[in-house]
Amino acid sequence: MYSGMTRLIRDRYYAYATEHAWDLATGETVNVGDLDDDGLPAGALAQADLSAAGLAKADLSALNEVLDHGREGEPRWLTLDASRTSPPTAAARAAANACARGFVPVAADVYFCLRDVLTEELEHRALLLIVRPNLPLEIGRAALVDAATRSSRPHVLMSFSGVEPRPARIDRVREARAHYGVDVVRRMLPASMTEEVRRQIARAARADEFVRRGRHAAAERLLRDVIGALLRRRALVPAVHASISLGRLVLERGRAVDAERLFDEAAGHAHAAHDEALSLSARIWQAAARTDAGQLTAAESLCRAAVVTGRLSTTERARADATLARILLWQGRVDEAAALDVSMVDEQDDAAPFVEATAVRVLLARGMVFQAGHRARALLTIAGRSKAPLAQVLALSAHLRVLMAAGDATVVMERMNDLARAAQQARAPLRLARVRLLAARMLRAVRDTTAADAVLAHVRRMRAVSPPLLKQAIDDGFGTTTASQTRHAIGLPAHAAVAMVTIVQDRESDRDAVKGILDFAGDSVQTSRLDLCSNDAGPVTTVLSVGSGLRTGLGQRVLEAGITIDSQDRTGGEFGVPVRLGTRLVAALVARWPADRARPGHAHDLLALAAAIAAPRIDAMRAAARQAASTSATIPELVGVSREIDDVRRAVARAASAPFAVLIEGESGVGKELVARAIHQLSARRERRFCDLNCAALPDDLLESELFGHARGAYTGAVTDRAGLIEEADGGTLFLDEVADLSPRAQAKLLRVLQQQEVRRVGETFSRKVDVRVVSAANRDVQAEAAASRFRADLLYRLDVIRIRVPALRERPEDIAVLAHHFWAAVAPRVETRATLTHGLMTALAHYHWPGNVRELQNVMAALAVAAPARGQVRASLLPRAITGVAVSSSMRLVDARQQFERRFIEAALARAGGRRTRAARELGLSRQGLLKMIVRLGIGERCEDTTVG
């Protein structure tokens, strides 16, 4: 056996030895070394695809949607049609898809074998439990319930139709009552049961008498003794009944955690006895204990698992629905609680008072006071016939809830005394405390704070012995209504309106605001996908999408009809509402739900509300998209699909329409000159000249001559009069690249030009009027240069009227592939190659940090075109080693690795500094001489001449 820790390989295989693993989905043994990249034995998936078709595409899509949109506390059971292919093939495909979505596929029978071995690995994982062909469904149902007991993740049980399951080897024992007498138990005992077991069962019946007399400790000791004696004699079914009775006793005393443990043990013993119905009954009680313990999601998971198996009697199903409704009410999910069938059961059943009392609570939560009063009256009648003290407490509590909802404070306080007497007789002080909390809340609502405080004073005495959920309610002082329930009390649409309006006001970006509203609406109605569709640009397109479910198909129909369209299917399906701004149809909001999830009743109102609130932001977002599309077509040189480059295009369009100076910031090679030329081409000056000057490429004297011009004889070599670039750009645009490198003297002269709109040639004594727009660019922070007194602040104020920042290529990685294909399409015909770029090459380009930005990428693609074959594919191996990360030397010595790292690091710094060593040294934290020494030592071929004064 494998000697180390247990290992879960690729979410599917349990490694029990060094080279061998157990396939959890099929139970087969595989070699670890034979697993491919998809986590399957080599060729297994391809073989499955070559069969009849694995799973049909529709079935596979539906399965994937269910797996993608699970919800905590909601286990599910799916049945797939395997009549068209072999179930093992369908199971293999389903297991592979489950692994890809983070699930652990496990055969139900394998799960019971390894659940204790893989406890840590499976504790926080969602499981796809597969009922393999020819296995009884009882194993799958038991596995789902057990998994839901251990964690509240959205586990899925998958079985197959079209195959005949093998019947269970042991017949299911008929369900007996959890609260039983000796005669009932005797009828279910086999003839071979010993007399000692019968005596222990008779002893257990005395516990009820102890409870009626208030001797709870004696009753608990008696039941524990009986349970131990029955378990020693392997009388599992009677021991389970005794455990449930003890758990109910402990739960009624407020010890929810102890009760949860007792119910869990009872369910385990019932499973060992192959009594599925009795095990589920214990699980439902366990869910009730988890509710009182405040573990609402875990309780919901367990209760839903018991319900979804469908093996409950009518009475137990009603109790399960009532327990689940109570859990949902505590979570504030009133609509989901109302969708449950909390229906009337036989009044002779022990669960009838609890079911009816829960039904009253659901009706009150929905605001149906009259119907709730009718059922409360019926419950009083049932309790009167029953004569059971606890039934009287439940009936009076339900009736008092109705009176509180009606606001009759006087009658409530009168009937509270009747409830106190019934609770004292039933030995149920905690139930009285719950109702008193509600009464205190009602008294505060009618502003009778004195009476409310007096009631709360009585309740606070019970805090020390209360379960966590009641204890929290006592601390709040407002009864058992949570904040979520209060939200529903004032109406979900009202709460949703407040939340969505807040989102609209808080989000600055239109797209972020619309996405926030879609996220909120999707979460509120539990959609698998929510699409915002528009036909603004011609055909209907999905502008924004939330969720990863199947694509919706109603968008086009809603936009064509301009009305709400419903699939008329409460389970799953699609629903679409139009988005209008005034009389204009702006877009359509289309929602989709998975096939296994019921659509909430408030879905229509909430989606219509979301469409109304988001309409102005959606219209603004679409207008911005139209402007971006127009700008993209107008400025084809700015290639890219990222949001960052879209922002640059919009900034260019806005700057072009204004007559003010523009400062463009960005690293070397990002395309600042392209931005400057685009501003000129889109402006009203497009018919006049665009002149550009690199301020760092010329010495100070030549720069002044180039910029301002000179007169004949102004200096040696000035043989004729010559106009400077400022004069030549009269009426047009002057682009000053690397403006931060201007000398102080040139800065002063440029400042006069901007102030006076006139220029004086070198060697002349008079000025000439000019009308020029200055667009400047810098590859470093000009404000920091001004703060360091290396650049005139007054000149900066005149240059920095409109600022545009061009992001570095590493800040917009989604543009790398687009730019690479753009440059490839330009250079490939020039070297007569028809080779295509591979995915691996694009991946390598995306992983590189690009210190030289777009210019570096352009040069790399040009070099790649030269090295590429005439036909075929261009692979990543042709890229420079600096991009692929391949070492120059195969040596593994530390000194070589350090030297290689230093070389690449300094080369990147020099590229960012445009080849200027002084600036690169400052960035690296070195002196200029120190950097020169490292360049010589590392053999870096520096081609860019450093013109910066050191």
Side-chain angles (χ1 to χ4, degrees), residues 298-379:
E300 180 188 357
S301 174
L302 183 54
C303 203
R304 287 189 184 275
V307 171
V308 79
T309 57
R311 304 295 289 182
L312 298 170
S313 66
T314 303
T315 301
E316 286 300 313
R317 176 58 189 263
R319 185 164 67 86
D321 285 338
T323 303
L324 181 56
R326 179 171 175 249
I327 297 168
L328 295 174
L329 287 178
W330 271 104
Q331 294 176 317
R333 295 153 62 183
V334 177
D335 290 325
E336 294 181 54
L340 298 172
D341 185 18
V342 186
S343 57
M344 177 79 75
V345 296
D346 188 354
E347 64 180 59
Q348 300 299 322
D349 285 327
D350 189 37
F354 170 69
V355 173
E356 287 301 300
T358 305
V360 171
R361 292 180 61 179
V362 173
L363 291 171
L364 290 175
R366 298 174 63 192
M368 304 170 68
V369 181
F370 178 78
Q371 294 86 340
H374 181 73
R375 294 195 75 160
R377 281 290 180 184
L379 178 55

Side-chain angles (χ1 to χ4, degrees), residues 703-711 715 722-725 727 759-763:
L703 186 142
E704 287 189 30
S705 176
E706 286 290 321
L707 194 59
F708 305 110
H710 59 81
Y715 55 86
R722 182 178 180 276
L725 290 178
E727 287 186 65
V759 62
R760 180 181 297 176
R761 297 179 182 178
V762 177

